[in-house]
Amino acid sequence: MEASTSFIHHLGVFASDFEASERFYTAALETLGIVAGYRTETVAEYWHPERDTPSLSLETAERARDATRGMHLAFAADDRDAVDTFHAVAVSAGGTSRHAPRFWPEYRAYCAFVSDPDGNNIEAVHKEIE
């Protein structure tokens, strides 16, 4: 069997307040080993240092009403400690806790959920049972 590639190349999130969102995403994603590999005054592109896809592109919305809202985006975590750290750091970086870290039997995973500055549901998930 050939090595599979992700069916997602990149996702775009448009922020009403780029500085607040950049602070949030930079801090929260760093706990999962994801860094800003490209940055300008209005764009930050996040990926794993050893591969640039899939990636998350954070951009300034042209108008506040054009900001991305209502999205649920989950990031893989290596272990429970990474999920715990993600939650704590994301909240301290301007996020709002939706669900503190815990095991979710229906997902067979240990997860934490935080709202970003525009209210998107950002999750760290560690699958425990395959």
Side-chain angles (χ1 to χ4, degrees):
M1 177 181 242
E2 290 183 39
S4 66
T5 57
S6 173
F7 72 95
I8 294 175
H9 186 271
H10 67 274
L11 299 168
V13 174
F14 297 90
S16 62
D17 180 340
F18 180 76
E19 289 180 12
S21 290
E22 183 184 25
R23 257 190 319 278
F24 169 83
Y25 281 99
T26 298
L29 296 180
E30 185 176 65
T31 68
L32 303 174
I34 301 167
V35 299
Y38 172 79
R39 181 178 274 130
T40 70
E41 290 182 11
T42 59
V43 174
E45 185 93 14
Y46 298 93
W47 56 63
H48 280 284
E50 65 277 358
R51 61 188 185 281
D52 65 358
T53 60
S55 65
L56 173 70
S57 179
L58 176 66
E59 301 179 38
T60 303
E62 288 188 28
R63 296 175 301 263
R65 71 174 189 246
D66 295 334
T68 303
R69 296 195 194 327
M71 179 181 63
H72 178 190
L73 183 57
F75 292 92
D78 289 336
D79 53 35
R80 284 183 174 214
D81 288 340
V83 173
D84 294 342
T85 303
F86 163 86
H87 184 266
V89 169
V91 169
S92 70
T96 304
S97 179
R98 286 179 175 239
H99 298 287
R102 71 175 176 90
F103 181 73
W104 296 73
E106 63 271 33
Y107 305 138
R108 298 183 319 242
Y110 188 78
C111 310
F113 300 82
V114 179
S115 292
D116 75 3
D118 283 310
N120 293 298
N121 184 5
I122 310 304
E123 174 185 0
V125 57
H126 173 65
K127 289 294 282 182
E128 299 204 341
I129 301 171
E130 293 297 326

